[in-house]
Amino acid sequence: MTDAIKPAEAGKPILTARHLVKTYGKEQSLVRALDDVSLEIRAGELLAILGSSGSGKSTLLNMLGGMDRPDSGSIAFSGTDISGANDRELTRYRKQHVGFIFQNFNLIPELTALENVDLTADKTEDPKISEHMLELVGLPDKMDAYPAQMSGGQQQRVSIARALAKRPALLLCDEPTGSLDSETGQQILIQLEELVRLHGRTVVIVTHTRETGRMADRIIEIRNGKIVREEKNGQIVSAREIAW
């Protein structure tokens, strides 16, 4: 299925989600993590999904990245439905089209920075893409360093290099500065924005802070599994009142 997918051109819809529902637990302990969520993400857009802990934002990100499935609803990537894909097709979708940046870096401790980036690097056009990505994130002198020999900020830069080295059409970031101090986190955000603009990627950042959301073209706020607010260029596009 995903072999035939071609990422959308800039400005056109690359991801479309319709009426997503996801629940956990049963009866009295039932939790509605997503409650009829619909959204559209356009190619080349930098979107922030804002919400507090437990709001459903990470569940939504996992759906968009093919790491989890909705109970109902649909997700299409460049017009191709992925919500009904089998495990092998979802693995192919993640491998070919999606890059991930996590809060806790997820680097392999036994591998150097260069080896960690090499794990995902697409070298078909540039055999030295891993080296070039580490240079772009300001770590030319850390290629042979292991994660334990680097600061948190440096490790997150390695994870950014790793995500970009596979040339993904879609980059999903789950609280990318959540485990960093505020100054380092701000530096990471500035560099991430510069890099994704340079490479023309579509980026979705999940965050609990409005400060992080300010770098985005658009902000979607989620609460209790529902989208309650949307902002574009600092202006409210839509808002709804949801009971706590």
Side-chain angles (χ1 to χ4, degrees):
M1 176 199 71
T2 53
D3 284 331
I5 296 179
K6 291 185 178 180
E9 298 176 6
K12 294 184 177 180
I14 190 171
L15 261 181
T16 303
R18 292 285 180 260
H19 307 295
L20 298 182
V21 173
K22 183 67 175 181
T23 59
Y24 298 101
K26 294 180 180 180
E27 298 177 355
Q28 298 298 324
S29 60
L30 183 71
V31 175
R32 207 170 182 87
L34 293 180
D35 189 1
D36 194 24
V37 168
S38 297
L39 77 159
E40 186 175 84
I41 302 169
R42 294 185 174 274
E45 179 179 31
L46 202 164
L47 172 70
I49 299 176
L50 178 68
S52 60
S53 178
S55 62
K57 60 187 188 299
S58 291
T59 299
L60 177 57
L61 194 77
N62 289 340
M63 299 284 176
L64 301 179
M67 294 186 290
D68 200 357
R69 304 172 189 272
D71 295 337
S72 61
S74 65
I75 302 172
F77 177 79
S78 292
T80 299
D81 179 56
I82 64 168
S83 47
N86 60 37
D87 289 343
R88 179 176 294 182
E89 289 170 335
L90 284 177
T91 297
R92 193 180 303 129
Y93 163 68
R94 292 192 300 267
K95 182 178 180 180
Q96 294 181 351
H97 302 293
V98 187
F100 297 93
I101 298 175
F102 301 98
Q103 177 177 341
N104 295 320
F105 322 135
N106 284 12
L107 302 179
I108 297 177
E110 296 82 13
L111 300 182
T112 65
L114 183 61
E115 290 168 338
N116 267 283
V117 177
D118 264 341
L119 289 175
T120 65
D122 176 4
K123 299 187 177 185
T124 53
E125 296 179 15
D126 181 0
K128 292 187 175 295
I129 184 68
S130 298
E131 291 94 326
H132 292 161
M133 286 297 105
L134 284 169
E135 289 169 358
L136 273 177
V137 298
L139 297 176
D141 59 337
K142 295 294 183 181
M143 294 190 189
D144 296 323
Y146 291 91
Q149 298 172 318
M150 293 182 282
S151 67
Q154 290 170 337
Q155 290 183 64
Q156 191 60 295
R157 286 186 170 91
V158 174
S159 73
I160 292 171
R162 179 182 58 186
L164 291 175
K166 67 187 293 186
R167 296 189 176 92
L170 176 66
L171 188 62
L172 303 180
C173 311
D174 193 357
E175 298 279 10
T177 63
S179 59
L180 304 174
D181 64 78
S182 58
E183 183 177 351
T184 302
Q186 187 62 29
Q187 293 171 356
I188 291 293
L189 287 176
I190 291 171
Q191 186 166 52
L192 177 60
E193 181 181 16
E194 291 175 347
L195 288 170
V196 297
R197 301 290 192 194
L198 174 66
H199 291 271
R201 305 306 181 202
T202 305
V203 184
V204 180
I205 296 181
V206 157
T207 180
H208 67 281
T209 65
R210 188 162 291 277
E211 185 72 26
T212 301
R214 287 176 184 159
M215 67 184 284
D217 300 312
R218 190 162 55 107
I219 298 173
I220 287 176
E221 185 174 350
I222 189 168
R223 188 191 305 165
N224 293 342
K226 290 181 176 290
I227 293 176
V228 298
R229 183 185 178 100
E230 180 180 350
E231 297 178 20
K232 187 172 183 179
N233 299 323
Q235 301 296 316
I236 297 175
V237 176
S238 63
R240 58 188 295 191
E241 289 299 323
I242 302 293
W244 285 94

